[in-house]
Amino acid sequence: MTLTEARNFLRSELLAVAAIVVPGQTPTVTHDVGPVRQEALSDDRGPESVCTITVETGDPTSPDPAA
């Protein structure tokens, strides 16, 4: 499995879990960066990559925190 395939799998799993945890809401990917090489994190041990995915549910315009 490539890193891109792994990222896509993680993204789909995060969306599926969010849909289960908050039924009746449509989960949305609000941040999806990666794979990105993070040389600063590699400490000269070779190329490493990082994926960052944020999934949100609910209604961000609602003043009710339960939304």
Side-chain angles (χ1 to χ4, degrees), residues 41-64:
L41 299 176
S42 70
D43 197 28
D44 295 330
R45 291 174 290 176
E48 295 181 6
S49 296
V50 174
C51 297
T52 304
I53 302 170
T54 303
V55 175
E56 295 183 14
T57 59
D59 181 1
T61 62
S62 176
D64 180 13

Side-chain angles (χ1 to χ4, degrees), residues 7-29 53-57:
R7 183 189 121 252
N8 291 339
F9 177 75
L10 175 60
R11 181 184 170 120
S12 67
E13 290 294 302
L14 288 171
L15 288 169
V17 168
I20 292 168
V21 171
V22 186
Q25 297 286 337
T26 302
T28 304
V29 175
I53 302 170
T54 303
V55 175
E56 295 183 14
T57 59

